[in-house]
Amino acid sequence: MKTPSSDDAARVLVVGGGYVGMYTALRLQRTLKQELRQGRAEIVVVDPDPYMTYQPFLPEAAAGAISPRHVVVPLRRVLPHCTVVVGEVTALDHGERKATIATLAAAETGDGAFTVPYDELVLAPGSVSRTLPVPGLADVGIGFKTVEEAIGLRNHVLEQLDIASSTRDPDVRDAALTFVFVGGGYAGVEALAELEDMARYAVRYYHNVRPEDMKWILVEATGRILPEVGPDMGRYAVRELRARNIDVRLETRLESCEGRVVRLSDGSRFPARTLVWTAGVKPHPIVAASGLPLTDRGRLKCTAALQVDGAEHAWAAGDAAAVPDVTAPPATPDGPHPECAPNAQHAVRQAKVLAENVSAALRGGPVRDYAHKYAGSVASLGLHKGVAHVYGRKLKGYPAWFMHRAYHLSRVPTANRKARILAEWTLAGLFKREIVSLGSLENPRAEFELAAGTGRHNETT
Ligand SMILES: Cc1cc2nc3c(=O)[nH]c(=O)nc-3n(C[C@H](O)[C@H](O)[C@H](O)COP(=O)(O)OP(=O)(O)OC[C@H]3O[C@@H](n4cnc5c(N)ncnc54)[C@H](O)[C@@H]3O)c2cc1C
């Protein structure tokens, strides 16, 4: 085993502890068990958060069906044989095989970043929201990729009901009760459908807000939503949402949202205090800063064996990587295969092959290609409602929703977490939903600052 990073252990540096990063490290722990025990290998996982987020459950977390702690997986607990570093890789010098890491401590104390040498690099930083230069978007838009955003959005929606219920100003009430989601992929549609369902339930406890007072609007630039479940199921989802009074606007774009006034390309203009942006993703910026080869769309150019094309000892997978889908035919007979779509289905399976290939490379063995035929998708449209198109079978309504839950539950890492989520769902069936907004959690010092006379409240009173 070659070890430029130190005299005795070959170091695998995993950048990102999300789907690819966590599953790769999980498998590496097993495949390199002997080397780890003998001190001949070391796995270092770097992520700004000490947990992996199970993103497909974020809409249910926003709706309050799963508590936030259960949609995340603590990296230290599941990776006891890896070194978990909470921090961000801020620079890579793959020529020298060195990464610069800024840790949490560095941010707090100004200690500065440090450099880590490595032997094999696994680059899995995922994606970030793909924003457009829409006037006002950066000021008022809310993303939907993290557990913080999902819970923040839940609190925000419930707070709007409180605002609408307590104001005498009809304009403020209208803006509070208007919820706009831009982007009709599974993140946007599931988030909207789950939150609308939750808000519809919550307003029964408000004496002066009725479900029909709320305006839920889905804005999608193309002529369809949920491309992941195919055209038929996408059309069904539009009908299902419209039947719930959700205003689905296809072939429409957000033009501006300055001053919390939304202007759409169909000429409409209305005030809204909620604007959720889920119009696609792009690779994390560290990918461009890595100096490694990229495709036109900014993803890392990879081989089917998940090696970064032309860069020895560099591996990548997931949203940030352009991995050829060898199961899909090329557009032209001599052309390249299309890229695997950025989704969890590929990410988990790629992680398995990636870990095996990294282990093989360290032992001087052969690597293999990644090949997985996309099986289709399931999407929830709120409690007991859903759409699915899996292995050619189309399902809708309750069976699709059940399949969505069963499939994702089976995929959540660790038996412990599965049991907790199952227990939460079971209890939710027996008790009423929680409908309280805990928005003040985002500023826990406010009360104490008020008491100490140093807070924002004191400045204004
Ligand atoms: C709301 C929502 C619902 C979804 N639902 C589905 C679904 O139903 N089915 C499906 O197949 N897919 C779904 N997806 C997509 C799926 O979650 C992603 O495709 C998958 O997470 C990609 O895995 P990844 O490892 O590439 O990225 P991620 O899982 O996002 O992990 C990337 C990790 O890298 C870390 N990181 C970033 N930069 C750095 C850095 N500089 N240094 C160190 N660490 C860094 C991040 O903090 C993150 O933890 C959904 C996504 C969202 C947002």
Side-chain angles (χ1 to χ4, degrees), residues 15-20 46-48 55-56 87-89 124-126 144-145 186-187 284 286 318-319 342-345 347 408:
V15 181
Y19 263 92
V20 170
V46 188
D47 196 290
Q55 289 174 347
E88 193 178 346
V89 171
F144 199 79
K145 267 196 74 64
Y186 41 36
H284 193 282
I286 185 68
D319 285 10
N343 58 48
Q345 200 178 121
H408 285 301

Side-chain angles (χ1 to χ4, degrees), residues 138-152:
D139 304 323
V140 300
I142 308 171
F144 199 79
K145 267 196 74 64
T146 65
V147 69
E148 294 82 0
E149 285 170 333
I151 303 309

